[in-house]
Amino acid sequence: TQLLVSSTTNMLAPSAKLYNARARANVRAPSVRAARRHVAARAAVDTPSATSPATSSSSSPSSKRTVVITGASSGLGLNAANSLIKNGWHVVCAVRDFAKMEMKATQMNFPKDSFSVYHCDLASQKSVRAFAEALQVDGVNVDVLICNAALYLPSGRARWHPQFTADGFELSMASNHLGHFKLVHELFPLLKASAEAGRKPRCIILGSVTGNTNTVAGQVPPKANLGDLSGLAEGAPLADKSLFDGAKAYKDSKLCNMLTMRELENRYNDSGIIFSSLYPGCIAETGLFRNHTNVFRFLFPLLQKNLTKGYVSEEEAGERLATIAESEDTAESGQYWAWRGGGDDLVENYNTKDRGTPIKNQPSTDVQDDAKAKKLFEISMDLCNISEFGAPAPVAAAKSKVSTA
């Protein structure tokens, strides 16, 4: 089914050969420095300060457990926030758009003292650092970090022409992987403080069925492939130095997300932090697909609901993510979680009535490649200018409110 949809949308898209021929001339010639200079001026004007005060509560009550969710203003992140707030959590919403988050919180009837809103643009390393500094200055505890936000550019001009951030990174990799990598580094001391206080913190990085080549969806071209990672290290648009494809850039970044979780578990399994990844099911009607074709957005939910039975609503997916964040049944570190109903297995989607119990899923051999996970981690540290992971530069005037409650 997904192969059919992919083929349909690819036929409607402009010729890949034509665009990739242009990409050879237009993308590889400019240097990373040129990309930085080109975007820096816009970033300086368009990006609000991440140290702006929260629009709701400026710090989380120490009596509540606190979760940071990136991309909390829509889709999976918003619905996970809703589920966790109902269960008594304080949610720190790391978003780019204050007004949108406030509007969504009002629509979802979030109690005013149940959430805080901070600016965080994952495509900007400076913004991620400033967000982390703001949390520390405000004395915000972090018991769970959910790296959820993602950018997907599968159609139109953006599919064949890479965009670069002010830091010189391809936009999808910057937003989906490197921004979250930097964020985990910056908030690591707060997660460790939570562990020392006996609060059993968790770090959750969203995976994707499309980044796992041992699934039907993972076999839909273009497939995730990081090669030897030299492209990422050298500033090429794609990690394997292949011609740019926005759909592949997303899949590659999700493979990086899952490899990062694996390497975090390998390096810091004695930290007291629980590291997890998951595939919450096919959320076929979500803002992630806002950049896809109209044909895809119309057909894909119908096919998932009526043929593959893999369809999962945003609300159900949010509940699933919340389960990984708080359930004692999912407190085993290093796991990639999934569900039998509304998952990536066609037979189980039809035959399983249990849609609420998470299972330990088997990721692809690429995701289980520890050598590649280590190499990716080291390259990401270099790109993010990290000399010692989990030990960011101290923040002046930071205060701690960690409670053992």
Side-chain angles (χ1 to χ4, degrees):
T1 299
Q2 290 166 322
L3 283 167
L4 172 63
V5 174
S6 178
S7 299
T8 302
T9 55
N10 284 339
M11 286 190 293
L12 294 173
S15 167
K17 291 183 179 180
L18 172 62
Y19 277 112
N20 279 331
R22 292 173 179 170
R24 285 184 186 272
N26 296 338
V27 172
R28 293 187 176 182
S31 66
V32 171
R33 290 182 180 177
R36 285 174 177 157
R37 288 196 300 270
H38 174 72
V39 183
R42 285 185 57 190
V45 173
D46 295 341
T47 304
S49 170
T51 55
S52 302
T55 59
S56 298
S57 170
S58 63
S59 61
S60 56
S62 60
S63 60
K64 285 188 174 183
R65 299 195 72 196
T66 301
V67 54
V68 173
I69 305 179
T70 64
S73 62
S74 64
L76 176 59
L78 178 64
N79 282 274
N82 187 42
S83 292
L84 290 166
I85 285 173
K86 288 179 179 179
N87 291 341
W89 287 73
H90 184 91
V91 177
V92 173
C93 306
V95 298
R96 290 182 298 171
D97 190 332
F98 280 75
K100 179 183 178 181
M101 185 66 241
E102 283 288 336
M103 178 184 70
K104 293 293 185 179
T106 299
Q107 292 173 352
M108 301 286 277
N109 295 314
F110 289 178
K112 285 294 184 181
D113 64 348
S114 68
F115 71 102
S116 304
V117 182
Y118 288 80
H119 179 265
C120 182
D121 182 356
L122 290 163
S124 166
Q125 294 276 297
K126 287 183 178 179
S127 178
V128 172
R129 168 66 180 175
F131 165 70
E133 288 181 340
L135 293 192
Q136 294 183 62
V137 169
D138 286 345
V140 178
N141 302 328
V142 177
D143 299 304
V144 173
L145 170 59
I146 298 178
C147 299
N148 159 73
L151 177 68
Y152 182 38
L153 301 170
S155 64
R157 179 180 175 83
R159 178 167 185 177
W160 311 113
H161 295 268
Q163 303 171 62
F164 293 92
T165 68
D167 301 300
F169 307 139
E170 186 277 319
L171 184 58
S172 297
M173 186 64 77
S175 302
N176 302 351
H177 168 58
L178 292 171
H180 281 129
F181 188 88
K182 176 78 167 181
L183 183 60
V184 175
H185 161 71
E186 293 288 345
L187 297 186
F188 209 75
L190 299 182
L191 289 169
K192 288 200 294 185
S194 177
E196 291 165 1
R199 295 165 75 101
K200 300 180 180 179
R202 305 187 188 194
C203 176
I204 302 167
I205 306 178
L206 266 291
S208 172
V209 67
T210 62
N212 273 294
T213 53
N214 63 338
T215 65
V216 173
Q219 286 295 315
V220 176
K223 294 188 286 187
N225 180 11
L226 300 177
D228 63 0
L229 290 165
S230 59
L232 180 62
E234 297 169 15
L238 289 178
D240 63 351
K241 294 185 177 181
S242 61
L243 293 181
F244 185 76
D245 185 325
K248 183 178 184 300
Y250 170 79
K251 296 176 182 182
D252 285 354
S253 70
K254 299 312 292 182
L255 175 53
C256 287
N257 288 157
M258 293 179 282
L259 284 168
T260 297
M261 185 281 292
R262 188 173 182 88
E263 183 63 10
L264 284 167
E265 167 63 15
N266 289 341
R267 291 179 179 235
Y268 306 108
N269 55 51
D270 60 350
S271 65
I273 303 170
I274 298 166
F275 301 102
S276 305
S277 188
L278 72 147
Y279 170 60
C282 183
I283 316 171
E285 295 175 297
T286 174
L288 181 66
F289 297 133
R290 63 187 176 275
N291 296 307
H292 221 308
T293 64
N294 292 332
V295 171
F296 180 92
R297 291 200 301 271
F298 175 75
L299 287 178
F300 193 54
L302 294 177
L303 293 172
Q304 291 296 327
K305 288 177 182 178
N306 300 306
L307 186 59
T308 72
K309 302 296 182 180
Y311 180 88
V312 175
S313 68
E314 290 181 333
E315 181 179 5
E316 183 178 18
E319 292 170 352
R320 289 178 169 188
L321 178 51
T323 297
I324 305 305
E326 65 178 350
S327 174
E328 286 298 320
D329 294 334
T330 57
E332 183 177 342
S333 191
Q335 293 300 323
Y336 172 65
W337 300 98
W339 285 258
R340 287 194 170 90
D344 57 14
D345 188 297
L346 184 64
V347 175
E348 291 185 339
N349 284 343
Y350 270 87
N351 297 324
T352 301
K353 295 182 179 179
D354 179 9
R355 297 178 64 92
T357 304
I359 60 171
K360 300 174 187 177
N361 204 4
Q362 185 74 15
S364 67
T365 54
D366 286 337
V367 175
Q368 297 181 69
D369 187 337
D370 285 337
K372 182 163 288 186
K374 180 180 179 181
K375 185 175 182 180
L376 171 67
F377 203 92
E378 292 170 349
I379 291 173
S380 300
M381 284 182 62
D382 182 60
L383 293 174
C384 295
N385 295 314
I386 298 170
S387 57
E388 182 181 353
F389 190 87
V395 179
K399 52 188 177 181
S400 175
K401 289 187 179 180
V402 174
S403 169
T404 55

